[in-house]
Amino acid sequence: MNENSCCGTKNSVGPTGLQIQPFSSKQADDEVCCGTPAGPPSSPYEKPGYQIVRFVDGFMDMDSGLVPKVNTHLSLFDIAGSIMTRVGVNRNRYKISPGLYGIGNPTPDSPVLVTANYKLSFDTVRKELSGINAWLLVLDTHGINVWCAAGKGTFGTQELVKQVEASGLKQIVNHRKLVVPQLGATGISAHQVKKQCEFKVIWGPVRAADIGEFLNHDMKASVGMRRVTFSLPERLVLIPVEIYIGFKPVLLTMFLLFLLSGIGSDFFSFKNAWERGLIGISSLVGGVIAGAVLTPVFLQNLPGRAFSIKGAVAGIVTAIVVVLWYWKDTIWLETIGLMLFVITISSYLAMNFTGSTPFTSPTGVEKEMRKAIPLQAFALIVAAISWIGAGFL
Amino acid sequence: MKDFRYLEGVATLVLNEEKCIGCGECEIVCPHGVFILDNKKAAVIDKDGCMECGACALNCPVSAIEVTPGVGCAAYIIQTWVKRKDSTACGGGAVCC
C-alpha cells in the first residue's frame, strides 16, 4: 500500500493524545480514493452514545446545563415522519427526549410552554412558534399526544413538577408561569402544580395554531380557542390509522371467509372457496369502507346518536351496492348473509371510532356497547349460517 | 360541541353549588362549554355536552365537582371487560388515541 496516498497518511498523535489532522486543509479533490468527500467534523456538543437530533440548531449554556435550541422549520424528514405516523407505521415510537428546549432567543422573561414528547405534538407546537422567543418544556408522555396522555395521567401534575425541577426552570426564568395546553387539564391540576412547585398554570388554547394569537393577546384565549372541534379534515387524518390497526383482523377474516365459502355439499370445494370467498372478501372491504371511512366522513349527516347506528346505516347503503353487484352470482340465502355481514362490520367499526372522537363520554359508549354488541354478534352468526347454508343448496 | 352530540342523559357530572367558590377554573378547562360562571357561582348549562374527561373535577380547588372520568373508547372498554383494568392499554395493541 502506498503510504503517501491520501488515506494512507498516518495521523500523527499530538502530545495531549489528541488526533492531529494531516496537514491538508483541502478536501481530497484530486483522487477518488475514499469515495465521496468527508462530511463536516463532529460538533463539540456530541457525546459518545448520543446523537444530536435534526431539529436542534445549537445549545445555550445555562447555569443548570445545556439547553438545546430548536428550529421552527419542519424539514422533509419531519413531514415524512408525520405521514408515516398518521398511517400508523412506527406510531408507538415516534417520540423525542423530554426536558427543556429553547425556541428563538429566549430570555428569563420569555414564556414557558408545556407539551408532550410525541414528536407529532412537538413538531406542531414548534412550527407555530416561528418568530417567537419561548421555552418549551417537554413532558415524558411515552410518545403519546397531550389529550390522550392527560387521560392516562402521564401528561400529569407529577410529571410536570418533575420536569420543572429537573430542568432547573426556576434559575432559568424570572417569572413563575407555565402555559399548559387546555386539553392537558384532564391530567394536570393547576392548584396542585402551584402548591408543589410555585408555578402558576395558565391554560393555553386547545389548538397549537392559536398559540401565536394567544401569546400576542396577553395570554388570553377567546371562547373559540377553548372549544374542541371535529371538522372534516380533523376526521380525515384519523382514517388511515383506523384502517392500519384493522389490517391484521381483516386479513384473518379474509382467510376465514375462504374456509367458510368452501364448505358445502361436496364437503369442501376449492373452486367454491375461491369464487364465493372473493364475494365474501369484497363484502368485507365494503363493510370496512362503510364503517371506517364513510361513517367518519359523514358523521354529522348519518342519523342516530349512537355510533353503532350511524355505522349500520352507512352499512345498509353499502350492503345494497354489494348485493346488487353480485346479484347474478348469488342466491337469496347468500344475499341475506352478505347484507348482515356488511352492516355488522360497519356498525362495529363505527362503534370503535368513538375512541377517536373528542365528544363521546365513556358512560355513553358503554351504554351503547351493551345494547349493540349482542345485536352485532347475533347478526354475524345469522350471516355465517346463511353463507354456509347456501353452500349446501 | 354544538354540531356533534352524543347520547343524552348519561353524563355522571354533578356540581355541588354550595361548595363552589366561583374561581371559574371549570369554565376555562372544559373544552365543551358545559359550565358558565354566573353571579360568582359555577353552573352547569349543557350537561349533555359533557364527555366525562374529568378536567373540571381535577382542577376544582374545593372538590365541588364529581364525575366518573374515563376514555370514551369502545376498544378500550372491551379491554376492561376482558382483562384486568390495570393491564389495559389505550393505544398500545388496541385502537383509540
Side-chain angles (χ1 to χ4, degrees):
Chain A
M1 171 119 194
N2 180 4
E3 281 275 301
N4 291 328
S5 73
C6 65
C7 303
T9 321
K10 280 185 194 157
N11 287 341
S12 43
V13 177
T16 52
L18 280 170
Q19 293 237 308
I20 294 171
Q21 292 294 314
F23 189 72
S24 161
S25 56
K26 267 171 77 182
Q27 293 279 5
D29 51 1
D30 40 71
E31 300 289 332
V32 212
C33 181
C34 304
T36 50
S42 295
S43 141
Y45 293 107
E46 279 180 37
K47 284 182 194 170
Y50 294 79
Q51 195 177 19
I52 296 172
V53 285
R54 286 164 194 254
F55 52 78
V56 168
D57 279 342
F59 290 84
M60 286 178 283
D61 206 350
M62 313 299 289
D63 291 341
S64 53
L66 294 174
V67 176
K69 265 170 84 164
V70 172
N71 64 57
T72 54
H73 170 77
L74 296 193
S75 67
L76 275 177
F77 184 80
D78 298 319
I79 294 164
S82 299
I83 293 171
M84 296 280 272
T85 308
R86 284 297 193 187
V87 173
V89 182
N90 202 28
R91 183 161 157 262
N92 295 331
R93 282 181 292 277
Y94 200 54
K95 56 187 181 183
I96 60 152
S97 299
L100 188 68
Y101 294 83
I103 300 226
N105 292 303
T107 65
D109 296 317
S110 299
V112 181
L113 307 174
V114 181
T115 191
N117 80 328
Y118 181 36
K119 179 139 188 295
L120 204 63
S121 310
F122 178 76
D123 280 354
T124 312
V125 173
R126 74 184 162 100
K127 190 185 104 207
E128 296 299 336
L129 291 174
S130 160
I132 294 172
N133 299 326
W135 303 98
L136 197 53
L137 189 64
V138 177
L139 306 192
D140 185 6
T141 60
H142 311 191
I144 304 286
N145 67 64
V146 169
W147 168 241
C148 290
K152 293 190 225 309
T154 46
F155 190 92
T157 307
Q158 257 191 316
E159 171 63 14
L160 178 57
V161 171
K162 191 185 128 194
Q163 291 296 347
V164 165
E165 303 294 348
S167 61
L169 199 60
K170 280 179 189 161
Q171 284 88 58
I172 292 173
V173 294
N174 55 20
H175 59 79
R176 291 292 177 263
K177 284 180 201 161
L178 298 166
V179 178
V180 178
Q182 189 192 329
L183 289 187
T186 305
I188 285 173
S189 171
H191 58 274
Q192 283 296 331
V193 172
K194 172 99 185 167
K195 210 160 109 186
Q196 292 176 32
C197 70
E198 294 171 36
F199 276 83
K200 180 179 162 54
V201 169
I202 314 270
W203 297 110
V206 167
R207 279 165 298 275
D210 294 326
I211 292 175
E213 211 185 314
F214 172 80
L215 292 177
N216 284 336
H217 284 83
D218 218 17
M219 295 197 185
K220 295 264 186 306
S222 65
V223 173
M225 289 183 198
R226 292 244 171 268
R227 300 283 177 267
V228 284
T229 52
F230 204 39
S231 63
L232 184 61
E234 285 171 302
R235 302 198 296 277
L236 287 179
V237 294
L238 302 173
I239 292 172
V241 164
E242 294 285 312
I243 292 174
Y244 179 84
I245 290 167
F247 206 70
K248 260 192 218 163
V250 164
L251 278 184
L252 191 73
T253 315
M254 284 183 174
F255 177 72
L256 280 174
L257 282 171
F258 277 124
L259 276 186
L260 291 183
S261 301
I263 300 171
S265 37
D266 312 327
F267 184 60
F268 191 86
S269 152
F270 282 98
K271 184 174 169 286
N272 280 352
W274 178 249
E275 286 174 1
R276 297 180 70 222
L278 283 182
I279 298 176
I281 285 168
S282 309
S283 319
L284 175 64
V285 171
V288 171
I289 291 173
V293 181
L294 295 180
T295 306
V297 169
F298 297 105
L299 198 60
Q300 265 171 298
N301 317 91
L302 287 164
R305 290 279 173 91
F307 279 46
S308 46
I309 293 176
K310 287 177 185 287
V313 173
I316 289 170
V317 177
T318 314
I320 291 171
V321 175
V322 171
V323 162
L324 288 178
W325 187 267
Y326 290 111
W327 191 252
K328 284 183 181 154
D329 309 309
T330 48
I331 60 167
W332 65 274
L333 199 54
E334 287 172 315
T335 303
I336 293 174
L338 289 182
M339 284 289 282
L340 288 175
F341 184 55
V342 175
I343 295 167
T344 308
I345 296 288
S346 177
S347 172
Y348 182 77
L349 290 179
M351 197 176 71
N352 274 315
F353 191 65
T354 51
S356 302
T357 72
F359 68 98
T360 53
S361 61
T363 310
V365 175
E366 188 154 352
K367 186 185 174 191
E368 141 162 30
M369 286 167 71
R370 289 195 185 277
K371 284 184 186 166
I373 288 179
L375 283 172
Q376 289 163 350
F378 178 72
L380 196 63
I381 291 167
V382 175
I385 292 171
S386 313
W387 194 250
I388 298 169
F392 290 90
L393 289 182
Chain B
M1 206 168 352
K2 300 289 172 209
D3 44 349
F4 286 104
R5 305 296 294 186
Y6 195 48
L7 307 187
E8 290 191 345
V10 292
T12 53
L13 179 71
V14 181
L15 166 71
N16 183 339
E17 279 167 38
E18 276 177 25
K19 276 191 187 173
C20 176
I21 51 165
C23 71
E25 199 73 355
C26 53
E27 190 193 13
I28 294 174
V29 295
C30 178
H32 286 295
V34 168
F35 298 91
I36 195 165
L37 200 63
D38 184 31
N39 221 351
K40 294 199 173 165
K41 283 275 180 189
V44 175
I45 52 160
D46 184 15
K47 194 176 167 186
D48 287 329
C50 176
M51 61 166 163
E52 300 176 319
C53 70
C56 53
L58 187 67
N59 280 283
C60 178
V62 290
S63 308
I65 303 170
E66 268 181 56
V67 62
T68 312
V71 195
C73 168
Y76 176 79
I77 293 171
I78 290 175
Q79 283 195 60
T80 61
W81 288 350
V82 181
K83 299 186 208 165
R84 275 183 19 247
K85 213 154 202 161
D86 52 334
S87 62
T88 51
C90 178
V95 213
C96 126
C97 319

